[in-house]
Amino acid sequence: MLDALFRPKAVAIIGASTKELSIGNVIIRNLQEYGYRGEIYPINPTAPEVRGIKAYKSLDEIPGKVDLAHIIIPAKLVPQAIEDCGRKGVKAAVINSAGFSEMGEEGAKLQALFLANARKYGVRVFGPNCQGIINTDPALKAYCNFTFTYPEPGSVSVVALSGGVGALLMQGLFDLGVGMRMYASNGNACDVSIPEILRYWGDDAGCKAIVLYTEGFSDPKEFLDVAREIAAKKPVLAMKAGRTVQGAKAASSHTGSLAGVDIATELIFEKTGILSFGDEEEMSRAAMAFATQPIPAGNRVGIITNTGGPAVIATDVLVAAGLDVPKLSEASIARLKTTQLPQAALENPIDVVATAGGTEFRAAMDVLLDDDGVDSIFMNFVTAPFTDTHAVAREIAAVSALGRKPIVCNFMTDLSQERYRITMRILKEGGVPFYANPTAAARALGALARYGRLKRRDIGRPETPSGVEAATAASIVERARKSGRGVLSATDVYTIFEAYGIPVAGWKVVDTAAAAVAAADAIGYPVVVKADSEAIDHKSDMGGVAANLKDAAAARAAVEGMRGRLGATGALRFLVQKFLPGGRELIVGASVSRGLGHLVMFGLGGIYVEVLKDVAFKIAPVTRVEAREMLTSIKTKALLDGMRGEKGIDKEKVIDLILRVSQLLTDLPMIQEMDLNPILAFENAVYAVDGRIRI
Amino acid sequence: MLDALFRPKAVAIIGASTKELSIGNVIIRNLQEYGYRGEIYPINPTAPEVRGIKAYKSLDEIPGKVDLAHIIIPAKLVPQAIEDCGRKGVKAAVINSAGFSEMGEEGAKLQALFLANARKYGVRVFGPNCQGIINTDPALKAYCNFTFTYPEPGSVSVVALSGGVGALLMQGLFDLGVGMRMYASNGNACDVSIPEILRYWGDDAGCKAIVLYTEGFSDPKEFLDVAREIAAKKPVLAMKAGRTVQGAKAASSHTGSLAGVDIATELIFEKTGILSFGDEEEMSRAAMAFATQPIPAGNRVGIITNTGGPAVIATDVLVAAGLDVPKLSEASIARLKTTQLPQAALENPIDVVATAGGTEFRAAMDVLLDDDGVDSIFMNFVTAPFTDTHAVAREIAAVSALGRKPIVCNFMTDLSQERYRITMRILKEGGVPFYANPTAAARALGALARYGRLKRRDIGRPETPSGVEAATAASIVERARKSGRGVLSATDVYTIFEAYGIPVAGWKVVDTAAAAVAAADAIGYPVVVKADSEAIDHKSDMGGVAANLKDAAAARAAVEGMRGRLGATGALRFLVQKFLPGGRELIVGASVSRGLGHLVMFGLGGIYVEVLKDVAFKIAPVTRVEAREMLTSIKTKALLDGMRGEKGIDKEKVIDLILRVSQLLTDLPMIQEMDLNPILAFENAVYAVDGRIRI
């Protein structure tokens, strides 16, 4: 579908220029210098040729077919140019020109105009306000882009909303010697979207890993669906910027994007198994490891070092990244004893010492390859000037080539010296991912291991909870909608909860003090009485809550007191509910995330949510595995197990409650916000004791 | 004092070798290739010359004076070599050889032996098991070191416990184009210590900033004193590794160092104003900024960018590093309007857009220089191929040269292309700190700003609290010491607290139930009764605590019950204390940190300390500013201010209590451990309600 864009056999440049420092010239220069194998057709109303290539006055004059047109002319001329493309049968257009939706209403109108023309003829539009694409395939070498890095062919593809960051990532990979497959930076993305590009690359056998930069998605649900599909096929490394309020503001101003501080993008990454990064350099470096190394089967790393301190730093970083540095087996230590120098430290890290040569390095690596307690190898290799560093590099490359266990190398050297450049080339040609310092190398291995954990994690499928009376809940919500009520009444909320099997403390809504006493008698004392009125939002501040009422007299007095304080209008009703002393306060909440569905939140109530913001989010529908992760990912999870003599809570019942909430949200997408706050959790039971639903 | 080591006029190499790949050859090669201006004397028993330089059979045969000797011979021969050095009048020896304290008892004995010889003759020893030193001074060019990086002269000095990390830092600075002043890596550090080196560099006018790597200090107090002195003179950038249990284990095995997971080193950095890093690459990159840029006067940064996405990333990182990205003044925006291209975004970040040239960049920088609301400038500069990138670089260099406000540059380019290498050289020669990606550049500016905050912070001097009866406390501790009691009795603890003006809930220690009732009558009900016996460590688990006793009968019953449960021996006494319901539980604790004195801890009691580990530490003596920082640096600090209708606590009284605890620890250094747990804090008062002192 996107072949015309990514595999064009002929490219026209509408706005080709003879001026050296202009985009209309640079794009042709790039095609030439990069060695494009297809036809280049400069379009220029006056010049007979551009950069030595015959130019045409218009698309019509071009004798052959054109797959792709670059458009570099002023914004107001673009709709006509797209019309011309359509007539000529051009299949795709990269609109480099700016001045569209990113520039306000006037620009948005122009964008709508050219898009209508494109749809009329079936021309696919890439951009506008974008860089373009690159396909490094040696049979094609399509550099349809105005930036400056000429990547080597390889297996990593890069897609970025921002051309600046796209170029940065491409350059980062280039500097690391990582080959690239395809590149795309689509600016305003008015037609061809990042999800569509990802799907195209998902089917590209030459692409082994994808690197993605985004500031948010205009259609998060579309991205979620595609991400799930692609992340199952190959590693996707991704970074989302605009993570601070100020960063999000900067993002929203630069490409007319819909960016904001959303947590949804990170949650999509987590749900679909995309490997998330917070540092673009770290992401490029990780890509270097993904390009050549297998994914570690576990978290246990063996470290080989020929210098002390960098092994200490590496150990710190590896452990912080979730890896273990286990003891080696007795057999491994015995083998090391017979193969290492007398001063070597035969533990993990294995210090082969600075005078170790290729033989000692290789013997240490062989031990780690054979040790079943080790899943990956971290190498600290400083080019001690009194050793044959080429021999060491050859052994590391040989072990990497075996592909038995992933290996990354912290290669500490001076590349201004020819002898060490030779050592470096041995590593590079051997496909060894190497880095200039231990923290960088350890983080790259950390990313491989983190991806291994992601791949081994199976969140399963959403379940359908038993005993759900969906129709009851749906009719309540429908009735509220029809009557224009945004916030549901207590009766409605608790009835909906009960319809979904969400445990609720015994309750009844009544109109009079006498009815309240009767209800309390039936529920059993102590009870709590709450004023139930849409008009009263902060019940407890208004004196609308009376807790721990121990007998009929207290219940009656509470109701009468509220009538006095809050008015005797008929609209005022009373919720009588079982009062449950003790228990751990929990919160489950949900809200709509634009274009994605609901986010479900779990946390401990009170100060834990208010002061510590110690909560976990998931995108609905939530699976059982995800619900369990919500309980184990909060910082205060130890409180769920009980401590200081207190008993733990029934976590399985909390998980079941979250799954029922998730099902409710899935069935009733019109719910905008929902809170179960607090839920009281005990050793053998949980109860929602207050709830709120807004549609 | 260390002139012979760092400014040697003649160097002898004991163990000079004709073998190319040997340390005894490499050291001479380094001296030659780096261009050492002094005399080189190879010592070799058989070879007439080494690397073209006349060799001597022994030190005695050398005609001239020798300042410094490299010793590269087997460990067991080193004591004699030092003796020889002493006789010859050699002032300092760099012992590169390994096989000493890092190799166990046998090696430690050898180390003691050569050290005795060195002391006899006043020979200063550097190492053993070390790399050596470098002095880049063009008049000297002393490369007394076996590693491979040849640094350019400059103003940053590097000292590292680990030679591997030292070389790494030196290479990191070299790769960044940052000149170096001196370098030292002293391995086992048996004589010349890092503090001594720091003091020497503190007086070195050519050294503008110091970069330090450590895994802990054998004499932390000495380091604290020196660090305070040096950090007041020039920036010290430092990294401590061995931060995880596994990392500390790796550290302890590699140079015979005394490393462990200590928090003390980080606390020393904080107390003395050393800028701490957790990433060696980030530290080198920060040094690049410190080498040429002024320290920002505040946290407000103006961002100029010619590409969107990297400005979003930079904004995220700058904000996370504690910087503000403020709105520009009306005047600034008006000036931008007249000087920028029509598509430019005239806010902060200022997007000058990709087609901006030197004129637009310069105008934007001038606006930020003149805007009083901006303290520093962050530059995103991608070398768009259709702009005159040299002109842009010249303007950035010119603004950097003004020295009015610090500037760092994210310079995104392809250095494999000659035209961009020229652009890069313009920045480099202009002293502009530049980095290849926005995160790296933003972190470097973040380090400058963090240092600015450190310099503006004045922790003040420790105060002497009023009303302290030090003699009372000292005599109690002395009595306990004499009687061999490690854990003080309740009477002793509370009497000591009262002697230091630490508020304690009204208390009395009694022997009988009758006396308990009398005490409770005097204190006022409710009271708590606690068994007071050294033998009962977990009082509450043993039924040794009875709280909220509301009258005489309850108090009597409590005492009699404890007698029954815990034995009727005379050693069992009872603490009767005012029972204080409510109040916020706090903890203040202290323990001895090896070689440093006491660390004082503050936190909220109960689950906050047990589950969240939400505590703050300071090294005693604690100043008033530091005590206040303890209250504001915990994550749950909002609880001190009150919330959910609860009142806040009296923070000034907590600060006063911490200062009194600090004074107590200063006066009584024999205290090993002390806890005030809990302290109950109210709106207008705080009381220690349980305490423990171990000497």
Side-chain angles (χ1 to χ4, degrees):
Chain A
M1 251 174 57
L2 297 181
D3 280 350
L5 178 64
F6 284 106
R7 294 178 166 94
K9 294 194 187 69
V11 177
I13 295 90
I14 302 175
S17 168
T18 55
K19 220 179 100 205
E20 278 269 337
L21 287 187
S22 72
I23 298 182
N25 189 280
V26 165
I27 284 175
I28 297 171
R29 186 179 75 197
N30 281 343
L31 283 163
Q32 291 175 307
E33 291 189 353
Y34 196 61
Y36 177 49
R37 303 296 181 97
E39 297 297 326
I40 305 174
Y41 300 116
I43 311 285
N44 184 296
T46 53
E49 54 101 30
V50 177
R51 297 191 64 87
I53 303 175
K54 176 181 165 41
Y56 298 84
K57 292 206 184 333
S58 70
L59 277 175
D60 297 339
E61 291 184 12
I62 296 174
K65 278 190 172 178
V66 174
D67 289 325
L68 178 65
H70 264 284
I71 300 182
I72 314 153
I73 54 181
K76 63 178 189 299
L77 304 178
V78 170
Q80 182 58 49
I82 292 288
E83 176 84 27
D84 297 346
C85 285
R87 291 222 193 99
K88 170 70 183 169
V90 174
K91 300 190 197 90
V94 170
I95 305 181
N96 301 108
S97 313
F100 298 98
S101 67
E102 83 283 5
M103 293 296 283
E105 208 174 314
E106 204 62 28
K109 271 186 203 159
L110 273 176
Q111 189 165 308
L113 210 57
F114 77 65
L115 204 51
N117 289 348
R119 298 243 156 97
K120 191 165 61 184
Y121 294 99
V123 181
R124 297 305 309 272
V125 176
F126 192 82
N129 184 29
C130 77
Q131 265 186 8
I133 66 98
I134 302 171
N135 184 346
T136 66
D137 183 345
L140 187 70
K141 304 222 80 180
Y143 200 109
C144 304
N145 195 318
F146 61 67
T147 189
F148 50 79
T149 313
Y150 292 163
E152 294 294 321
S155 61
V156 177
S157 292
V158 172
V159 58
L161 173 86
S162 151
V165 178
L168 187 71
L169 293 169
M170 175 159 56
Q171 184 65 42
L173 294 174
F174 179 80
D175 291 344
L176 291 166
V178 180
M180 175 169 301
R181 173 72 176 172
M182 294 190 200
Y183 172 89
S185 176
N186 62 342
N188 293 13
C190 76
D191 177 21
V192 175
S193 67
I194 287 181
E196 193 174 1
I197 296 165
L198 289 177
R199 191 164 270 149
Y200 185 74
W201 289 353
D203 294 332
D204 176 15
C207 167
K208 297 263 176 292
I210 295 171
V211 173
L212 162 70
Y213 170 82
T214 181
E215 291 160 11
F217 293 98
S218 56
D219 186 346
K221 184 64 170 62
E222 178 195 19
F223 177 70
L224 174 78
D225 293 339
V226 174
R228 200 195 306 268
E229 180 189 323
I230 307 310
K233 293 184 188 174
K234 53 190 74 172
V236 180
L237 287 59
M239 173 165 166
K240 148 92 170 74
R243 284 168 291 152
T244 59
V245 175
Q246 295 90 329
K249 185 175 156 284
S252 68
S253 79
H254 85 85
T255 49
S257 71
L258 290 162
V261 179
D262 68 329
I263 57 164
T265 305
E266 284 295 340
L267 293 174
I268 295 174
F269 292 169
E270 188 208 44
K271 197 173 188 89
T272 58
I274 288 181
L275 198 62
S276 175
F277 290 83
D279 176 332
E280 67 284 2
E281 188 178 37
E282 193 179 329
M283 181 161 68
S284 294
R285 286 167 168 173
M288 187 185 196
F290 279 90
T292 59
Q293 297 302 305
I295 305 304
N299 290 318
R300 302 161 305 173
V301 57
I303 301 173
I304 299 171
T305 192
N306 64 346
T307 169
V312 178
I313 296 175
T315 302
D316 277 347
V317 177
L318 289 165
V319 168
L323 283 97
D324 303 322
V325 186
K327 283 196 176 185
L328 301 179
S329 70
E330 290 297 321
S332 293
I333 292 169
R335 274 179 69 188
L336 288 171
K337 242 174 217 156
T338 62
T339 55
Q340 298 300 315
L341 298 173
Q343 310 91 312
L346 311 181
E347 46 200 332
N348 190 9
I350 303 169
D351 189 345
V352 295
V353 306
T355 44
T359 316
E360 289 81 15
F361 267 91
R362 179 56 188 257
M365 287 186 280
D366 282 341
V367 163
L368 294 184
L369 285 177
D370 293 340
D371 192 319
D372 288 338
V374 169
D375 303 304
S376 59
I377 301 176
F378 182 92
M379 185 70 57
N380 263 324
F381 171 26
V382 62
T383 53
F386 37 85
T387 54
D388 180 352
T389 56
H390 305 344
V392 173
R394 277 192 300 269
E395 296 298 346
I396 297 173
V399 168
S400 171
L402 292 176
R404 285 178 57 192
K405 291 181 182 177
I407 183 166
V408 305
C409 181
N410 166 31
F411 179 54
M412 296 171 284
T413 194
D414 179 7
L415 292 177
S416 74
Q417 298 181 45
E418 176 59 17
R419 53 185 159 160
Y420 300 131
R421 279 200 298 276
I422 295 170
T423 310
M424 184 268 280
R425 277 197 290 273
I426 296 169
L427 291 177
K428 194 166 186 168
E429 283 158 16
V432 179
F434 61 90
Y435 309 88
N437 63 71
T439 293
R443 287 192 182 139
L445 182 56
L448 281 182
R450 186 156 58 96
Y451 183 74
R453 293 196 294 271
L454 270 184
K455 291 301 283 182
R456 290 191 295 277
R457 164 184 181 247
D458 178 4
I459 64 167
R461 310 283 315 162
E463 302 168 18
T464 308
S466 61
V468 167
E469 295 161 27
T472 309
S475 69
I476 291 172
V477 169
E478 181 56 18
R479 213 164 44 231
R481 197 189 59 72
K482 276 194 182 142
S483 69
R485 278 182 292 137
V487 176
L488 302 197
S489 70
T491 303
D492 286 353
V493 170
Y494 289 111
T495 308
I496 290 171
F497 285 173
E498 287 180 337
Y500 273 80
I502 295 167
V504 172
W507 64 282
K508 184 154 198 190
V509 171
V510 297
D511 290 301
T512 64
V517 169
D521 286 345
I523 290 166
Y525 294 93
V527 296
V528 55
V529 171
K530 301 176 193 172
D532 178 27
S533 161
E534 255 190 84
I536 305 168
D537 222 18
H538 295 91
K539 286 191 285 268
S540 55
D541 298 347
M542 305 275 290
V545 177
N548 202 9
L549 306 173
K550 293 194 168 121
D551 51 36
R556 176 182 307 278
V559 168
E560 283 165 355
M562 283 180 205
R563 274 237 183 276
R565 277 191 301 280
L566 304 171
T569 66
L572 186 62
R573 309 183 76 195
F574 303 94
L575 173 72
V576 181
Q577 196 174 34
K578 181 77 183 170
F579 179 73
L580 297 164
R584 176 66 70 189
E585 272 189 37
L586 309 177
I587 294 187
V588 171
S591 60
V592 163
S593 179
R594 181 188 54 78
L596 185 63
H598 294 97
L599 303 186
V600 181
M601 187 201 85
F602 167 78
L604 274 82
I607 66 112
Y608 302 100
V609 60
E610 288 171 37
V611 175
L612 297 172
K613 319 284 184 214
D614 183 22
V615 292
F617 286 91
K618 297 282 176 186
I619 298 166
V622 178
T623 70
R624 185 169 290 273
V625 170
E626 289 181 305
R628 194 176 302 281
E629 285 176 352
M630 294 177 93
L631 272 65
T632 54
S633 64
I634 58 172
K635 291 191 286 284
T636 43
K637 60 171 182 278
L639 297 181
L640 303 180
D641 294 319
M643 56 174 308
R644 286 190 135 199
E646 278 178 29
K647 282 177 175 147
I649 64 159
D650 189 331
K651 288 191 270 189
E652 296 307 317
K653 287 215 168 71
V654 177
I655 290 167
D656 185 69
L657 184 150
I658 292 171
L659 295 181
R660 289 174 183 276
V661 166
S662 172
Q663 184 68 44
L664 169 56
L665 296 163
T666 305
D667 293 345
L668 299 171
M670 67 290 282
I671 291 178
Q672 297 299 304
E673 265 183 342
M674 176 162 130
D675 279 310
L676 292 78
N677 178 14
I679 294 161
L680 290 179
F682 300 87
E683 199 185 354
N684 297 311
V686 297
Y687 300 101
V689 300
D690 210 348
R692 191 165 169 278
I693 295 177
R694 192 170 66 76
I695 58 171
Chain B
M1 251 173 58
L2 297 182
D3 279 351
L5 177 65
F6 283 106
R7 294 178 165 94
K9 294 194 187 71
V11 177
I13 294 89
I14 302 174
S17 168
T18 54
K19 220 179 99 202
E20 278 269 337
L21 288 187
S22 72
I23 298 182
N25 189 280
V26 165
I27 284 174
I28 296 172
R29 187 179 74 198
N30 281 342
L31 283 164
Q32 290 175 308
E33 291 188 354
Y34 196 61
Y36 177 49
R37 303 297 182 95
E39 297 297 326
I40 304 173
Y41 299 116
I43 311 285
N44 183 298
T46 53
E49 54 99 31
V50 177
R51 296 191 63 88
I53 303 174
K54 176 180 163 45
Y56 298 85
K57 292 205 185 335
S58 71
L59 277 175
D60 297 339
E61 290 184 14
I62 296 173
K65 278 190 172 179
V66 174
D67 288 326
L68 177 66
H70 265 284
I71 299 182
I72 314 153
I73 53 180
K76 63 177 189 300
L77 304 178
V78 170
Q80 182 58 48
I82 292 287
E83 176 84 27
D84 296 346
C85 285
R87 290 223 194 98
K88 171 69 184 169
V90 175
K91 299 189 197 92
V94 171
I95 305 181
N96 301 107
S97 313
F100 298 98
S101 67
E102 83 283 4
M103 294 295 284
E105 208 174 315
E106 205 62 28
K109 271 186 203 160
L110 272 177
Q111 188 165 310
L113 209 58
F114 77 64
L115 204 53
N117 288 348
R119 298 243 155 97
K120 192 165 62 181
Y121 292 100
V123 181
R124 297 306 308 274
V125 176
F126 192 84
N129 185 27
C130 77
Q131 264 187 7
I133 67 99
I134 301 170
N135 184 346
T136 67
D137 184 346
L140 187 69
K141 304 223 81 180
Y143 200 109
C144 304
N145 194 319
F146 61 69
T147 188
F148 50 78
T149 314
Y150 292 163
E152 294 294 319
S155 62
V156 176
S157 292
V158 172
V159 59
L161 174 86
S162 150
V165 179
L168 186 71
L169 293 169
M170 175 159 55
Q171 183 66 40
L173 294 173
F174 179 81
D175 290 344
L176 291 166
V178 179
M180 176 168 300
R181 174 71 177 172
M182 294 191 201
Y183 171 90
S185 175
N186 62 343
N188 293 13
C190 76
D191 177 19
V192 176
S193 67
I194 286 181
E196 192 175 1
I197 295 164
L198 288 177
R199 190 164 271 148
Y200 185 74
W201 289 353
D203 295 332
D204 175 16
C207 167
K208 297 264 176 288
I210 296 171
V211 172
L212 162 69
Y213 170 81
T214 181
E215 292 160 9
F217 293 98
S218 56
D219 186 346
K221 184 65 170 64
E222 178 195 21
F223 177 70
L224 174 78
D225 293 339
V226 173
R228 200 195 307 267
E229 181 189 322
I230 306 309
K233 292 185 188 174
K234 54 191 73 173
V236 180
L237 286 60
M239 172 165 166
K240 149 93 170 73
R243 285 168 290 153
T244 58
V245 174
Q246 295 91 328
K249 184 175 156 284
S252 69
S253 79
H254 85 86
T255 51
S257 72
L258 290 162
V261 179
D262 67 331
I263 57 163
T265 304
E266 284 296 338
L267 293 173
I268 294 173
F269 292 169
E270 187 207 46
K271 197 174 188 88
T272 58
I274 287 181
L275 197 63
S276 175
F277 290 83
D279 178 332
E280 67 284 2
E281 187 178 38
E282 192 179 330
M283 180 161 70
S284 294
R285 286 168 167 172
M288 188 185 196
F290 278 90
T292 59
Q293 298 302 305
I295 305 304
N299 290 319
R300 301 162 306 173
V301 57
I303 301 173
I304 299 171
T305 191
N306 64 346
T307 169
V312 179
I313 296 176
T315 302
D316 276 347
V317 177
L318 289 165
V319 168
L323 283 98
D324 303 322
V325 185
K327 284 196 175 185
L328 300 179
S329 70
E330 291 298 321
S332 292
I333 291 169
R335 275 178 67 188
L336 287 172
K337 243 174 216 155
T338 63
T339 54
Q340 297 300 315
L341 298 173
Q343 311 91 310
L346 311 180
E347 47 201 332
N348 191 9
I350 303 169
D351 189 344
V352 295
V353 305
T355 45
T359 315
E360 289 80 15
F361 267 92
R362 179 54 188 259
M365 286 187 280
D366 282 341
V367 163
L368 294 184
L369 285 177
D370 293 341
D371 191 319
D372 288 339
V374 169
D375 302 305
S376 59
I377 300 176
F378 182 92
M379 186 70 55
N380 263 325
F381 171 27
V382 62
T383 53
F386 37 85
T387 55
D388 180 352
T389 56
H390 304 344
V392 173
R394 276 192 301 271
E395 295 299 346
I396 297 172
V399 168
S400 172
L402 292 176
R404 284 177 59 191
K405 291 180 182 176
I407 184 166
V408 306
C409 181
N410 166 31
F411 178 55
M412 295 171 285
T413 195
D414 178 7
L415 293 177
S416 73
Q417 299 181 43
E418 176 59 17
R419 51 185 160 162
Y420 300 132
R421 279 200 298 275
I422 295 170
T423 310
M424 185 269 279
R425 276 196 292 272
I426 296 169
L427 292 177
K428 194 167 186 168
E429 281 157 18
V432 179
F434 61 90
Y435 309 88
N437 63 71
T439 294
R443 287 192 183 139
L445 182 56
L448 280 181
R450 185 156 59 97
Y451 183 73
R453 293 196 294 271
L454 269 184
K455 290 302 283 182
R456 290 191 295 277
R457 164 185 181 246
D458 178 3
I459 64 166
R461 310 282 315 161
E463 300 168 18
T464 307
S466 61
V468 167
E469 294 162 28
T472 307
S475 70
I476 290 172
V477 169
E478 180 57 18
R479 215 165 42 229
R481 198 190 57 73
K482 276 193 183 142
S483 69
R485 279 183 291 138
V487 176
L488 301 197
S489 70
T491 303
D492 286 352
V493 170
Y494 289 110
T495 308
I496 289 172
F497 286 173
E498 287 181 337
Y500 272 80
I502 294 167
V504 172
W507 64 281
K508 184 154 196 189
V509 172
V510 297
D511 290 302
T512 65
V517 169
D521 286 345
I523 290 165
Y525 294 94
V527 296
V528 55
V529 172
K530 302 175 193 171
D532 178 26
S533 162
E534 253 189 87
I536 305 168
D537 223 16
H538 294 93
K539 286 192 286 267
S540 55
D541 297 347
M542 305 275 290
V545 177
N548 201 9
L549 306 172
K550 292 193 169 123
D551 52 33
R556 177 182 306 277
V559 167
E560 283 165 357
M562 283 180 206
R563 273 237 184 276
R565 278 191 301 280
L566 304 171
T569 66
L572 185 63
R573 309 185 74 195
F574 303 93
L575 173 71
V576 181
Q577 198 173 33
K578 180 79 184 169
F579 178 73
L580 297 164
R584 177 66 70 189
E585 272 189 37
L586 308 178
I587 295 188
V588 171
S591 60
V592 164
S593 179
R594 182 189 54 79
L596 185 64
H598 294 97
L599 303 186
V600 181
M601 186 201 86
F602 167 79
L604 273 83
I607 66 110
Y608 301 102
V609 59
E610 287 171 38
V611 175
L612 297 172
K613 319 285 183 214
D614 184 22
V615 293
F617 285 91
K618 297 282 177 185
I619 298 165
V622 178
T623 70
R624 185 169 290 273
V625 170
E626 289 181 304
R628 193 175 304 279
E629 286 175 351
M630 294 177 93
L631 271 65
T632 54
S633 64
I634 58 172
K635 291 192 286 283
T636 43
K637 60 172 181 278
L639 296 182
L640 304 179
D641 294 319
M643 55 175 306
R644 287 192 136 196
E646 279 178 27
K647 284 182 174 140
I649 64 159
D650 189 330
K651 288 191 270 190
E652 296 307 317
K653 287 216 169 71
V654 177
I655 290 167
D656 185 69
L657 184 150
I658 292 171
L659 296 181
R660 289 175 183 277
V661 166
S662 172
Q663 184 68 44
L664 170 56
L665 296 163
T666 306
D667 293 346
L668 299 171
M670 68 288 285
I671 291 178
Q672 297 298 306
E673 265 184 343
M674 178 163 130
D675 279 309
L676 293 78
N677 179 14
I679 294 162
L680 290 179
F682 300 88
E683 198 186 354
N684 297 309
V686 295
Y687 300 99
V689 300
D690 209 349
R692 190 163 169 281
I693 295 177
R694 192 170 67 74
I695 58 171

